[in-house]
Amino acid sequence: MAAMEQAAAVDPQFVRVRLERSHVFIDRSAAAIARLQQSGLADPELDPDITARALSAMVSRLAYVTFVLGQSVPFDTLVGTVTRLWTNALRMPRD
């Protein structure tokens, strides 16, 4: 992750590759959010694409801070918290 940050800072071609990689995850998440909305399980007023971008950015930055900058958190706590933030952001029912 640290090397990707460094390369993106100096290589425009690497930035394009990195954005393409990011868009795959965002597109998949946006499609999943739209399906949840259609099923009545997520807030229908959210824009799926923007929501996916925001949540992806949160997860990406958290991973960078945790794994590159060494702000360690127990892995199960990290996963549980991020999962809860996702479901809360989408206003998904707890059950």
Side-chain angles (χ1 to χ4, degrees), residues 63-95:
Y64 181 80
V65 169
T66 301
F67 300 115
V68 174
L69 300 183
Q71 299 290 316
S72 65
V73 175
F75 189 73
D76 290 341
T77 302
L78 184 68
V79 171
T81 301
V82 169
T83 300
R84 184 134 186 207
L85 288 170
W86 265 77
T87 58
N88 286 347
L90 298 174
R91 293 188 179 168
M92 293 178 68
R94 291 194 189 248
D95 55 336

Side-chain angles (χ1 to χ4, degrees), residues 49-71:
D49 185 61
I50 294 171
T51 302
R53 288 172 190 259
L55 292 172
S56 176
M58 174 192 69
V59 171
S60 177
R61 194 63 189 166
L62 182 59
Y64 181 80
V65 169
T66 301
F67 300 115
V68 174
L69 300 183
Q71 299 290 316

Side-chain angles (χ1 to χ4, degrees), residues 22-40:
S22 174
H23 285 296
V24 170
F25 179 77
I26 290 168
D27 291 346
R28 185 176 52 225
S29 295
I33 291 167
R35 284 192 304 274
L36 289 165
Q37 289 171 317
Q38 291 166 357
S39 299

